[in-house]
Amino acid sequence: MPIWTVMKKIGGGITMLILTFIGLTAITFVIGRIMPNDPVVAIVGDRASKEVYEAMFLQLGLDKPIWEQYLIFVGNILQGDFGRSVMTTRPVIEDIARFFPATLELATIATLVGIIVGVPAGVLAAVNHGKLFDHIVRILGLLGHSIPVFWLGMVALLIFYAKLDWVAGPGRIDFYFDGIVDPVTGVILIDSALAGEWEVFSNAVSHVILPASMLAIYSLAYIARMTRSFMLDQLNQEYVLTARVKGLKEGQVIWTHAFRNVLVQLITIIGLTYASLLEGSVLTETVFAWPGIGQYITNSLFNADMNAVIGGTLVVGLSFVGINMLSDMLYRIVDPRAK
């Protein structure tokens, strides 16, 4: 490929990233400004004097034109400054570094379970179309989308934690293990393993099983259902019939020929599933008292902590964009025609 073409593609990708960043920051900024909460009152309280209120009003730059406020907002973000949280009194960037890895941990485990179990289940359901296994996968896929996660989470806590005592309860780790492992990645499973604290690791695994399973049910159901649909479409194509007529083994026809042609579509589905789990795990985090970014944003919204809301929302949005870009890169690896 000529160097000019490569540079053009890289330039186009950077331009799209910049435009996406501008659009995302503009939307979050506007949402923060049109919310019916007064950011000054959230900081100084509703009993502050007029002088204190006006001093904070000027300090926040709310007296400046809206376009200038936006430029200041973007400039601060580029420097890693999302402001200070009213709720925690810490810089928002520190809160995000603390809470986001917890959500990342849940979403990653749930997505991996969805891939490992859902993809083979969807393929086998398509191969056995109309048979018992196909019906089971379809029913489980429907239930996975239909059952409210908060209800299922409470039932799981009641049975597996309160009654059977098979797993640990709400929270990310028992309080007497808190602070033993120094945060390196923020993901407690990785940090405890790196530190060789296997008792902490075991306790963290016991805590993560139920909330990750609740999210995994959703991802597994969706991935299995979509894999089945994609495979059914490919198995009805003429090239599959031709491969079978040539005498190729059924496993080779399914996995080498048909499955290979659904990989690009599957990457899209898996990327969207992962992104949706990162932004939509609020109910799961609430039920299991999991200190993730979803619960952080929700609590901040209830407390009119707009710096935290905007910062958390922006990070989740940028994660969504990053996952989409990664999916686009994987397209080119899986299918050279995408280049």
Side-chain angles (χ1 to χ4, degrees):
M1 184 181 293
I3 187 65
W4 171 250
T5 304
V6 174
M7 293 179 62
K8 186 177 179 180
K9 287 182 178 294
I10 294 175
I14 294 175
T15 301
M16 286 300 299
L17 182 61
I18 293 173
L19 292 176
T20 303
F21 174 78
I22 293 174
L24 189 58
T25 53
I27 291 172
T28 53
F29 177 79
V30 170
I31 290 175
R33 288 296 181 265
I34 65 175
M35 288 291 289
N37 300 314
D38 190 336
V40 179
V41 173
I43 297 174
V44 302
D46 55 1
R47 296 185 179 181
S49 64
K50 183 178 179 181
E51 291 76 14
V52 172
Y53 181 93
E54 290 179 350
M56 182 56 64
F57 186 86
L58 295 174
Q59 183 178 336
L60 294 177
L62 298 177
D63 59 317
K64 297 179 173 61
I66 193 71
W67 62 268
E68 189 174 348
Q69 292 182 43
Y70 172 70
L71 292 179
I72 295 173
F73 171 72
V74 172
N76 290 337
I77 288 176
L78 292 176
Q79 298 177 50
D81 181 11
F82 291 88
R84 186 172 290 271
S85 168
V86 176
M87 185 175 61
T88 66
T89 70
R90 293 189 298 265
V92 172
I93 191 66
E94 291 184 9
D95 286 340
I96 291 172
R98 178 183 178 187
F99 291 109
F100 187 66
T103 299
L104 191 68
E105 187 176 29
L106 275 186
T108 301
I109 294 173
T111 304
L112 288 175
V113 172
I115 296 170
I116 295 170
V117 180
V119 172
V123 172
L124 293 176
V127 173
N128 296 280
H129 179 55
K131 298 180 181 179
L132 178 61
F133 185 80
D134 182 31
H135 294 314
I136 292 174
V137 171
R138 291 171 62 191
I139 292 172
L140 292 179
L142 180 63
L143 290 175
H145 273 280
S146 303
I147 300 177
V149 67
F150 64 89
W151 178 83
L152 189 62
M154 289 187 289
V155 170
L157 278 173
L158 177 63
I159 296 174
F160 298 106
Y161 167 61
K163 296 293 184 182
L164 300 176
D165 195 27
W166 286 358
V167 295
R172 199 178 180 194
I173 196 171
D174 289 339
F175 72 93
Y176 45 82
F177 287 119
D178 194 20
I180 294 179
V181 176
D182 293 328
V184 178
T185 64
V187 178
I188 196 166
L189 292 176
I190 297 176
D191 291 344
S192 57
L194 291 175
E197 295 286 350
W198 299 112
E199 191 175 0
V200 178
F201 178 85
S202 176
N203 186 260
V205 169
S206 185
H207 275 276
V208 80
I209 287 174
L210 281 185
S213 297
M214 297 303 101
L215 289 180
I217 289 174
Y218 166 79
S219 66
L220 192 158
Y222 185 57
I223 291 173
R225 186 164 60 90
M226 297 307 297
T227 302
R228 174 186 176 274
S229 177
F230 297 150
M231 283 297 295
L232 280 176
D233 180 62
Q234 291 300 317
L235 291 174
N236 290 324
Q237 298 296 321
E238 292 184 0
Y239 74 88
V240 173
L241 177 61
T242 303
R244 285 171 173 162
V245 169
K246 287 182 177 180
L248 294 179
K249 294 180 180 180
E250 187 65 13
Q252 189 176 1
V253 172
I254 294 169
W255 294 103
T256 304
H257 294 276
F259 183 70
R260 186 175 181 180
N261 284 319
V262 305
L263 275 179
V264 171
Q265 293 169 298
L266 271 183
I267 289 172
T268 303
I269 294 302
I270 292 170
L272 290 174
T273 301
Y274 189 33
S276 66
L277 292 181
L278 285 176
E279 68 175 354
S281 58
V282 178
L283 289 177
T284 302
E285 292 178 359
T286 302
V287 170
F288 291 95
W290 191 264
I293 193 69
Q295 191 179 39
Y296 174 70
I297 294 174
T298 303
N299 291 337
S300 300
L301 186 60
F302 288 151
N303 287 278
D305 190 354
M306 294 313 300
N307 281 342
V309 172
I310 293 173
T313 303
L314 186 60
V315 168
V316 172
L318 290 175
S319 300
F320 206 109
V321 173
I323 291 171
N324 284 332
M325 292 183 65
L326 179 60
S327 298
D328 186 61
M329 292 171 59
L330 291 176
Y331 294 160
R332 303 171 189 274
I333 297 174
V334 171
D335 187 356
R337 293 172 299 179
K339 297 180 181 179

